[in-house]
Amino acid sequence: MKNKTNIVKSLILSCTALLSLFCAVSCTTTKNLAPVSPISDDIQWLYLQDGIDYFCNQKQLVVCKIDLSKIRKELFYSPVKGDFSDWQDGIDGLKLAKEKNLTVAVNTIPFIQKNRLPFSKQKPYGLIIQNEKNMSEANSRYAGVRFFYNEKTKNLNCRIYDDQSTIPSKGTIYATGGYWVILDGKEILPFKDIKDYRTAIATSPDESTIYLLYGKNLSYPDCARIFYSLGASKAMEFDGGSSSFIYIKDNLYLKPPLSRKVFSIIGF
């Protein structure tokens, strides 16, 4: 009986030590992360093509500005095959972006995996609409973004919704879920200051311009402040961490060292 008691005590002490070590490493990592560099008013945008410009800060932060009224390329999205009940193969973002000759591309929706293997099949964790057809179920906990043609201007517009279950399928070219809204008007919404790789999207007040962001060592509030400084009025997070990537033709392909295949991308 004493032996069993000693074994249990040893296990508890070992677990406690590991937990303390984990907490110490986590806290140290967070404290040592470099602060986010502010974006100045005289930001130098680099031209990619008509309607598409980008900014890169030492490969730590990339923001792509897309004027939807001026672009010559159509919106590209990786199509869902079948319906939400079907497991899909993951996507190699760089390979697909090159195959489709895209100028810019980023990852979008969070997803679940069939198992923990590197090449596990996936399902979207939220809403996807393709050409007015719902391909997966909405998750009302999270936000979503919708691309559609403006009835007056006939140009492509983009709108972010707090609740992706409120996105209408009628008139929708493409819609995808993400995580939460981080910027609403002038309000930077409160989230914990957790640093990681991030992919996010923002819209201008008239919904005619979008901003795509990729960065490392960023929190949700960091992303929101960057978008706000650029004049965006609403922003939301896409899947981050090991899913994050951005591709800019002939210039950049950035992703975390331990990256994984993703469920969906958008680009132009």
Side-chain angles (χ1 to χ4, degrees):
M1 189 68 181
K2 287 184 177 180
N3 289 336
K4 288 184 178 180
T5 303
N6 290 334
I7 291 172
V8 171
K9 286 182 178 179
S10 298
L11 287 172
I12 291 173
L13 289 172
S14 298
C15 290
T16 303
L18 286 172
L19 182 59
S20 299
L21 178 61
F22 172 77
C23 292
V25 171
S26 299
C27 293
T28 302
T29 303
T30 302
K31 289 180 180 178
N32 288 339
L33 290 176
V36 178
S37 301
I39 295 182
S40 61
D41 294 333
D42 58 346
I43 178 174
Q44 297 297 310
W45 292 102
L46 302 175
Y47 175 86
L48 282 172
Q49 67 175 55
D50 290 349
I52 305 181
D53 303 284
Y54 80 101
F55 163 80
C56 180
N57 181 8
Q58 299 178 345
K59 296 186 178 181
Q60 303 287 315
L61 169 69
V62 181
V63 180
C64 190
K65 179 174 66 173
I66 303 172
D67 185 336
L68 299 174
S69 67
K70 294 180 180 179
I71 54 173
R72 296 178 180 178
K73 286 190 172 184
E74 292 186 357
L75 169 70
F76 171 82
Y77 53 86
S78 47
V80 177
K81 302 173 183 178
D83 58 39
F84 67 87
S85 63
D86 296 327
W87 291 98
Q88 309 275 327
D89 290 324
I91 292 170
D92 182 325
L94 174 61
K95 183 179 179 180
L96 184 59
K98 287 184 173 181
E99 284 178 358
K100 299 301 180 180
N101 194 31
L102 299 181
T103 301
V104 59
V106 295
N107 64 291
T108 58
I109 195 168
F111 54 89
I112 57 176
Q113 293 182 286
K114 195 171 184 179
N115 53 53
R116 294 183 177 275
L117 296 176
F119 301 102
S120 172
K121 290 184 178 293
Q122 306 170 349
K123 284 184 182 180
Y125 191 52
L127 179 70
I128 291 180
I129 300 175
Q130 294 177 180
N131 294 318
E132 300 189 338
K133 183 178 179 181
N134 285 54
M135 305 302 293
S136 61
E137 292 181 337
N139 186 333
S140 60
R141 182 184 178 191
Y142 299 131
V145 60
R146 173 182 180 240
F147 291 89
F148 60 97
Y149 285 107
N150 186 298
E151 292 183 357
K152 292 182 179 179
T153 65
K154 308 302 180 184
N155 292 325
L156 189 66
N157 274 190
C158 180
R159 181 175 300 165
I160 293 173
Y161 293 73
D162 293 359
D163 177 353
Q164 61 186 242
S165 68
T166 63
I167 297 179
S169 56
K170 184 177 181 181
T172 297
I173 306 302
Y174 183 72
T176 180
Y179 281 123
W180 295 277
V181 167
I182 56 172
L183 173 68
D184 194 355
K186 295 183 178 181
E187 182 182 4
I188 295 173
L189 301 182
F191 288 94
K192 292 181 179 180
D193 191 36
I194 300 173
K195 309 288 188 180
D196 205 340
Y197 288 87
R198 304 292 180 194
T199 307
I201 184 171
T203 58
S204 62
D206 65 358
E207 302 177 335
S208 67
T209 299
I210 64 171
Y211 301 87
L212 300 175
L213 176 150
Y214 166 92
K216 62 180 180 179
N217 294 348
L218 295 179
S219 65
Y220 283 5
D222 290 336
C223 296
R225 283 189 285 270
I226 291 167
F227 283 135
Y228 178 75
S229 71
L230 295 174
S233 62
K234 195 147 191 172
M236 60 172 271
E237 292 286 339
F238 282 139
D239 199 9
S242 59
S243 298
S244 287
F245 87 85
I246 191 166
Y247 167 80
I248 294 179
K249 185 178 181 181
D250 300 329
N251 287 278
L252 289 170
Y253 175 59
L254 299 178
K255 62 178 182 176
L258 297 176
S259 61
R260 59 179 178 174
K261 290 188 174 182
V262 298
F263 187 86
S264 180
I265 73 171
I266 58 170
F268 292 90

